[in-house]
Amino acid sequence: MTSYLESGSRASRALVDPRARAATFEEARDLCFALTRAEGENFSVISWLAPRAMREPLAAVYAFCRTVDNLGDEDWAVAGRAGDRIALLDEFEGELDRAYTGAPRHPIFVALRPTIERFGLPRELFARLIEANRMDQHAKRYATFADLLRYCEHSATPVGRLVLALYGRGGDEECALSDATCIGLQLANFWQDVKRDYAIGRVYLPQNEMAEYGVRDEDLAAATASESLRRLLRFQVERTRDYFARGLPLLDRVSGHLRVDLALFSRGGLAILDKIERQGYDTLGRRPTVGKIEKAKILFSTLLTRRWDRWA
């Protein structure tokens, strides 16, 4: 019998494993919390500041986001379904539909269904995240920055809007500010992972801008960044900082732990951009990351200041 207490990609296998049974809510909840504790995020997705009543909803939303990314990124070899990512994403969307009718089987949706009902979360935001992973199966490169932004509108902005909805927020202005922050986070991740993405056949640097700066595929495959790639990444970092600057006023519209948590995500993304700059815009030789001591410094300085305008 499939265990639902295993994190990472094993959670996604429940979707296609014929031996899987429907998870109990307790199993599903424990799986979601296990996924939030996985390493790799610039800041914890559920901070110690979050009230207990909000931790299960936040964990369920995060677990959905992580699992759908696993389905879109990993090679599967369950029940003879290796590599059939589009079909798996279609089935995942079918489970999303069942979560709205009350009969899901997959543990992520067993945990998510009460959150959907309690907070009235719109299906469209979840569906856009699934569609982003379908886009990843077809589009390995983006011709222009506008094309990349369209991808971010599926892969990034729904996350911020879901978090706002959990807190009863989400007016047009708040969503626009959240969108700017989420796009900034997504772009920072792209520039942080140029090497990793190229290794799996994906290039998020816009093709027309690569041509403008004289960056070729050989530059992306090199051990260290060429001068042309450094110049292009400098341009991308400066543009990405502008997105964070646009989103920072959202912090004045929220309060309590949500303000601190949103501030930490912005500062985490900005810290990655600072790292890229300090490395001379070379993310090939060493992947920029935020260490534990740096995270602690950012946390305490965030708790002690309201000067959001200084960060970007």
Side-chain angles (χ1 to χ4, degrees):
M1 191 69 70
T2 299
S3 169
Y4 291 112
L5 301 182
E6 298 173 82
S7 62
S9 63
R10 291 298 299 274
S12 305
R13 293 179 181 272
L15 183 64
V16 293
D17 192 336
R19 300 168 298 169
R21 57 177 170 80
T24 66
F25 175 77
E26 288 74 19
E27 290 173 326
R29 177 198 59 205
D30 291 346
L31 171 63
C32 291
F33 277 116
L35 287 170
T36 68
R37 292 190 292 269
E39 297 182 357
E41 304 292 346
N42 290 325
F43 277 95
S44 173
V45 295
I46 303 179
S47 79
W48 56 272
L49 296 169
R52 185 175 298 276
M54 293 303 300
R55 292 183 182 182
E56 282 187 13
L58 287 167
V61 169
Y62 173 78
F64 170 90
C65 298
R66 187 177 182 91
T67 301
V68 74
D69 279 348
N70 284 342
L71 287 173
D73 287 343
E74 298 185 8
D75 288 321
W76 297 97
V78 180
R81 302 288 297 283
D84 194 2
R85 294 173 180 166
I86 292 293
L88 292 176
L89 290 166
D90 289 345
E91 290 188 31
F92 202 63
E93 186 160 16
E95 279 290 285
L96 174 63
D97 290 334
R98 285 185 280 278
Y100 279 85
T101 61
R105 180 178 65 88
H106 191 280
I108 298 302
F109 293 102
V110 171
L112 189 59
R113 185 173 66 84
T115 295
I116 289 172
E117 294 179 347
R118 175 182 169 189
F119 297 95
L121 301 182
R123 179 190 179 282
E124 182 259 344
L125 295 177
F126 294 108
R128 278 164 58 186
L129 290 165
I130 296 173
E131 183 60 25
N133 283 272
R134 289 197 187 98
M135 293 167 71
D136 274 333
Q137 311 314 307
H138 301 296
K140 304 300 183 183
R141 300 180 182 231
Y142 295 87
T144 67
F145 187 67
D147 295 326
L148 187 62
L149 284 182
R150 179 177 177 275
Y151 173 74
C152 291
E153 289 168 0
H154 290 76
S155 67
T157 61
V159 179
R161 292 185 178 219
L162 284 167
V163 171
L164 288 178
L166 289 178
Y167 288 87
R169 313 302 293 253
D172 289 344
E173 291 186 8
E174 289 174 336
C175 283
L177 295 170
S178 172
D179 289 351
T181 299
C182 290
I183 290 170
L185 287 167
Q186 179 75 90
L187 294 176
N189 180 254
F190 288 155
W191 318 144
Q192 176 186 34
D193 282 333
V194 169
K195 183 173 184 175
R196 287 187 177 186
D197 290 332
Y198 185 75
I200 60 173
R202 293 177 185 167
V203 177
Y204 293 104
L205 290 162
Q207 295 296 287
N208 67 328
E209 294 174 358
M210 284 181 61
E212 178 183 348
Y213 281 82
V215 176
R216 303 171 299 172
D217 275 27
E218 296 92 305
D219 296 302
L220 305 183
T224 59
S226 64
E227 183 58 34
S228 56
L229 179 56
R230 290 171 190 261
R231 288 190 296 108
L232 176 55
L233 283 176
R234 178 176 182 173
F235 169 73
Q236 302 297 353
V237 165
E238 291 174 352
R239 177 162 59 187
T240 304
R241 281 200 180 105
D242 184 58
Y243 275 95
F244 282 114
R246 290 186 222 172
L248 286 175
L250 178 61
L251 301 178
D252 292 323
R253 294 171 176 263
V254 297
S255 60
H257 86 92
L258 181 59
R259 172 184 287 175
V260 176
D261 289 343
L262 294 180
L264 289 176
F265 279 109
S266 290
R267 296 198 70 185
L270 287 166
I272 289 297
L273 299 181
D274 290 343
K275 285 268 188 173
I276 294 173
E277 181 179 2
R278 286 197 293 271
Q279 291 179 196
Y281 303 97
D282 179 8
T283 63
L284 303 185
R286 183 172 75 257
R287 181 177 185 265
T289 58
V290 181
K292 292 182 179 179
I293 294 177
E294 292 168 296
K295 290 180 182 179
K297 289 180 178 178
I298 290 173
L299 170 60
F300 286 115
S301 65
T302 299
L303 292 171
L304 294 173
T305 184
R306 288 177 176 269
R307 294 302 304 271
W308 322 123
D309 57 311
R310 293 182 178 182
W311 295 346

